[in-house]
Amino acid sequence: MNDDRVNILLVDDRPENLLALEAILEPLGQNLVRAGSGEEALKHLLTRDFAAILLDVQMPGLNGFDTARLIKARERSRHIPIIFLTAISKEEAYVFEGYSVGAVDYMFKPFQPDILRSKVSVFVDLYRKQEQIKVQDDLLRESERRELELRHRAELRETQARLAEVVDGAMDAIVMFDERQRITLFNEAAERTFCLTAREAVGTSIGRIFPEKQRAQQLAILLGATQHEHDSTCATEKPLQRHVSSLIAARGTSNEEFPLEASVSRLDEGDLRLYTMIARDITERVRAEQSLKEQADSLARTTNELRAANEELQRRQGEIEAAMSARSRFYASMSHELRTPINAILGYSTLMLENIYGALNEKQVEGIQRTHRAAKHLLELVNDVLDLSKIEAGKIDLKLQPASFPELIDDLFVTVRPLADERGSTLTLEHEGGPLTITTDPRRVRQILLNLLSNAIKFGLGKPIVVRSRMREDSRFEVEVIDQGIGIGEEDITRIFDEFVQIGKSAQQQEGTGLGLPISKRLAELLHGELLVHSTPGEGSRFQLVLPAAPEIRSAGDEQRHPASTATAA
């Protein structure tokens, strides 16, 4: 029998029919296998592969249709083409059933031998081509397997090379050793850390990186870190890495000791046990931590000192506040007490100057006039002190009502014009736009402007004084008092708003109380405004009072106790 012959199964319960089929198909030169029943055919299919099955329909026991169904039900034989042969079952129902059970053809006896051989020959060729495809497929699979294996080997080599590069390029020391504590891997960082070359380290004991006196203890700590249970939370047999931060290592032959931080893991593969240690020198970190601890201790001491100083400052602040409160009460009380005798002096001196008590000679008139001026100056001082004490005590009341401009300034000009004429200064009012009205405390605005005008006249050297008023673009009202007098030095600008400060030594300056500008500035702030000054020595000064058109006024007490709150107008 030739190796390239294929099997053809002939199934018929009558031997003469089988003999006839063999005679028809013998020219094909294939291996013809006989089966006298459906059962015998199924047995052959269990052990052989066939290119085609010629199956009789009418057979005792297992007929052709049932045999075909069983053939198609088996995975090995379901793709074998079946040709039904029959001399009796020629009705369409039989033909339909034959095709429905999986037949590729349904032929009636007697049939043309050439046609049957031609059909079987087609299936033989198809079978051979399928076998060739299988062989080629097996060869292709084998080639792909070999190619895949080669690619995997190349990738493995590449991965190993990359891993070696990563290990050598790692910043941390990586040391691998076996269960006998023999070093198997020593990367470049380990060489730098322990001052050993890989050639010197590989094959020697891992204990050589520890000080000789502490070697046993350090090895016990290192190996003991891997004696733990496997991670039960993950689907892995790998043990958890353990962190060790209390190791003491040594450098090369010098045995210089240094602190070492490491993580160590153990890998068990059958009888082989490997350890991997990833470590780093933490000398600088320990030094930094020690420095931070010292700084923290120093900071704690400083904090305690600051706390004590703060408590002392609070105590002193309380004393200062108590003293200021006592001073304000003293000012308020004494101001009221001083007014009575001062008013009496003013009254009696006025009566004497008017010759109510008889005629006075020239020297007497001069003396009483001096007394009168001194008493008047003292009364101004008392009034200013009283205003200041009210502001500091938070007891000053601000009364909101309409204030018309420039009418209010014209009224002030009437008051101060005699003083201006006496000093030789002219007063000029420049109001931008038509008359306007703002909501403020007119009495306190007059007090501020009167102080500014009085100062401008006193220090104006008899030169013209200009007052300008306008509504600014930001909807705030502005009044400027401009003189061309002696001016104020830059170093004194911030001092002029301090209590009892008088700049210079001239007689003109000594006429004031030193409280006019401080009171004016505080009143401007209570009115939600501001008082600004611009001055050049020898050229004059320009004071700016800026007020909101309709503010919510805060009392002095609210200003001191609650700087961000507003108070209703009295």
Side-chain angles (χ1 to χ4, degrees):
M1 185 173 60
N2 297 329
D3 292 339
D4 60 346
R5 292 193 304 170
V6 301
N7 298 321
I8 300 174
L9 182 59
L10 309 178
V11 185
D12 200 308
D13 62 314
R14 301 181 66 178
E16 61 273 17
N17 289 340
L18 292 174
L19 184 61
L21 287 174
E22 287 179 345
I24 293 172
L25 299 177
E26 186 177 2
L28 297 178
Q30 305 305 321
N31 184 33
L32 305 176
V33 180
R34 287 188 176 191
S37 64
E39 291 84 352
E40 186 179 357
L42 293 175
K43 290 179 181 180
H44 286 299
L45 288 168
L46 291 175
T47 58
R48 298 184 184 182
D49 292 326
F50 295 90
I53 301 174
L54 277 65
L55 181 60
D56 185 27
V57 175
Q58 296 295 333
M59 291 186 298
L62 198 64
N63 62 29
F65 295 146
D66 293 334
T67 303
R69 289 190 182 94
L70 293 174
I71 292 172
K72 294 298 181 180
R74 294 179 179 176
E75 182 64 29
R76 179 174 178 176
S77 58
R78 63 186 304 177
H79 300 294
I80 301 176
I82 299 175
I83 300 176
F84 279 117
L85 303 176
T86 182
I88 302 174
S89 305
K90 299 181 179 180
E91 292 81 0
E92 289 184 359
Y94 287 102
V95 175
F96 178 76
E97 186 175 1
Y99 283 113
S100 65
V101 298
V104 299
D105 205 347
Y106 199 98
M107 299 183 66
F108 303 121
K109 299 178 183 179
F111 42 74
Q112 291 291 332
D114 293 337
I115 295 177
L116 181 59
R117 276 195 301 270
S118 177
K119 290 185 178 182
V120 173
S121 177
V122 170
F123 293 122
V124 169
D125 292 341
L126 180 60
Y127 178 80
R128 283 178 172 166
K129 290 179 180 178
Q130 289 175 344
E131 290 299 312
Q132 290 176 357
I133 291 173
K134 287 182 181 179
V135 172
Q136 292 175 353
D137 186 58
D138 292 340
L139 292 174
L140 181 60
R141 289 181 182 275
E142 178 65 19
S143 175
E144 290 176 349
R145 185 188 65 79
R146 291 180 180 177
E147 182 181 357
L148 184 61
E149 182 178 349
L150 290 174
R151 186 164 64 250
H152 285 172
R153 288 180 182 177
E155 291 175 354
L156 179 60
R157 286 194 297 270
E158 182 180 354
T159 300
Q160 290 174 339
R162 190 157 53 247
L163 178 60
E165 183 179 353
V166 170
V167 170
D168 284 337
M171 298 296 293
D172 293 334
I174 301 177
V175 181
M176 295 182 66
F177 56 95
D178 58 21
E179 58 187 0
R180 295 184 301 168
Q181 300 179 12
R182 299 293 176 182
I183 297 175
T184 59
L185 184 144
F186 207 76
N187 73 340
E188 292 181 6
E191 292 179 342
R192 295 190 299 270
T193 301
F194 300 105
C195 294
L196 287 172
T197 65
R199 180 176 298 178
E200 293 173 333
V202 172
T204 62
S205 173
I206 185 66
R208 71 177 299 173
I209 68 174
F210 300 112
E212 185 175 355
K213 294 181 180 180
Q214 304 181 43
R215 187 166 296 167
Q217 178 187 4
Q218 300 301 311
L219 281 173
I221 295 174
L222 183 66
L223 297 177
T226 63
Q227 304 298 325
H228 56 82
E229 296 180 357
H230 293 281
D231 186 2
S232 59
T233 62
C234 302
T236 176
E237 292 298 323
K238 295 181 180 179
L240 287 170
Q241 286 191 345
R242 285 299 174 93
H243 190 73
V244 184
S245 58
S246 58
L247 294 175
I248 302 296
R251 301 189 197 278
T253 56
S254 67
N255 286 325
E256 176 193 353
E257 296 182 6
F258 63 95
L260 190 72
E261 179 184 64
S263 61
V264 59
S265 61
R266 188 186 74 194
L267 178 63
D268 295 332
E269 292 184 354
D271 296 334
L272 183 63
R273 176 173 293 178
L274 294 175
Y275 296 88
T276 301
M277 180 183 71
I278 302 176
R280 66 178 58 178
D281 181 356
I282 56 172
T283 301
E284 293 299 325
R285 193 176 76 185
V286 170
R287 187 177 295 121
E289 289 175 351
Q290 181 63 28
S291 176
L292 285 175
K293 183 177 181 301
E294 294 174 357
Q295 292 178 11
D297 294 340
S298 176
L299 182 61
R301 290 192 298 270
T302 304
T303 301
N304 291 332
E305 294 172 359
L306 288 175
R307 185 182 296 109
N310 187 49
E311 292 174 355
E312 177 65 17
L313 286 175
Q314 289 179 349
R315 183 184 65 79
R316 293 186 180 182
Q317 182 180 0
E319 294 176 354
I320 292 173
E321 290 177 352
M324 292 180 64
S325 177
R327 186 194 71 172
S328 297
R329 290 195 301 272
F330 171 78
Y331 283 165
S333 175
M334 292 306 297
S335 296
H336 286 291
E337 294 296 330
L338 289 173
R339 277 181 173 181
T340 300
I342 292 173
N343 285 328
I345 293 172
L346 289 172
Y348 282 116
S349 61
T350 301
L351 293 174
M352 293 177 69
L353 290 173
E354 292 177 354
N355 296 321
I356 299 299
Y357 299 108
L360 301 174
N361 60 36
E362 184 177 349
K363 287 188 176 292
Q364 289 174 333
V365 170
E366 183 181 354
I368 293 175
Q369 286 177 341
R370 290 180 179 177
T371 302
H372 186 83
R373 285 196 299 270
K376 188 176 180 182
H377 179 267
L378 183 59
L379 182 61
E380 291 176 357
L381 177 60
V382 170
N383 288 334
D384 286 345
V385 169
L386 182 59
D387 282 343
L388 183 63
S389 64
K390 284 183 178 181
I391 293 174
E392 290 183 347
K395 295 181 179 179
I396 192 167
D397 292 328
L398 299 176
K399 299 180 180 180
L400 286 178
Q401 54 186 307
S404 300
F405 290 90
E407 180 182 347
L408 186 146
I409 301 175
D410 284 332
D411 292 342
L412 285 175
F413 275 14
V414 174
T415 302
V416 300
R417 195 175 298 278
L419 179 61
D421 293 341
E422 179 183 341
R423 298 296 176 93
S425 295
T426 60
L427 299 176
T428 303
L429 173 61
E430 297 177 0
H431 180 73
E432 184 179 306
L436 56 88
T437 301
I438 66 171
T439 302
T440 185
D441 187 331
R443 176 170 170 265
R444 297 303 177 184
V445 174
R446 286 191 186 93
Q447 185 176 354
I448 296 171
L449 294 178
L450 183 59
N451 275 323
L452 298 181
L453 285 169
S454 297
N455 286 340
I457 293 171
K458 291 177 184 178
F459 303 108
L461 301 177
K463 296 181 180 181
I465 297 171
V466 178
V467 178
R468 295 173 181 164
S469 59
R470 66 188 181 96
M471 183 65 72
R472 303 198 317 186
E473 294 180 356
D474 58 0
S475 299
R476 304 182 78 193
F477 181 69
E478 177 184 89
V479 179
E480 292 182 316
V481 178
I482 306 169
D483 67 69
Q484 302 175 36
I486 62 176
I488 305 169
E490 184 178 354
E491 67 279 4
D492 295 325
I493 287 291
T494 56
R495 297 178 57 230
I496 62 174
F497 294 111
D498 295 336
E499 294 88 349
F500 302 106
V501 172
Q502 290 181 303
I503 306 301
K505 300 293 185 179
S506 69
Q508 290 174 320
Q509 291 169 309
Q510 295 302 324
E511 293 180 2
T513 64
L515 294 175
L517 287 177
I519 292 174
S520 297
K521 185 173 181 62
R522 296 195 186 189
L523 289 175
E525 292 172 350
L526 290 177
L527 292 169
H528 274 202
E530 56 185 342
L531 182 59
L532 307 174
V533 59
H534 306 276
S535 184
T536 303
E539 296 182 8
S541 303
R542 176 166 58 92
F543 284 83
Q544 289 176 284
L545 174 63
V546 182
L547 298 171
E552 293 182 4
I553 302 302
R554 290 179 288 186
S555 70
D558 291 331
E559 185 72 27
Q560 294 171 356
R561 293 189 296 272
H562 305 289
S565 64
T566 58
T568 58

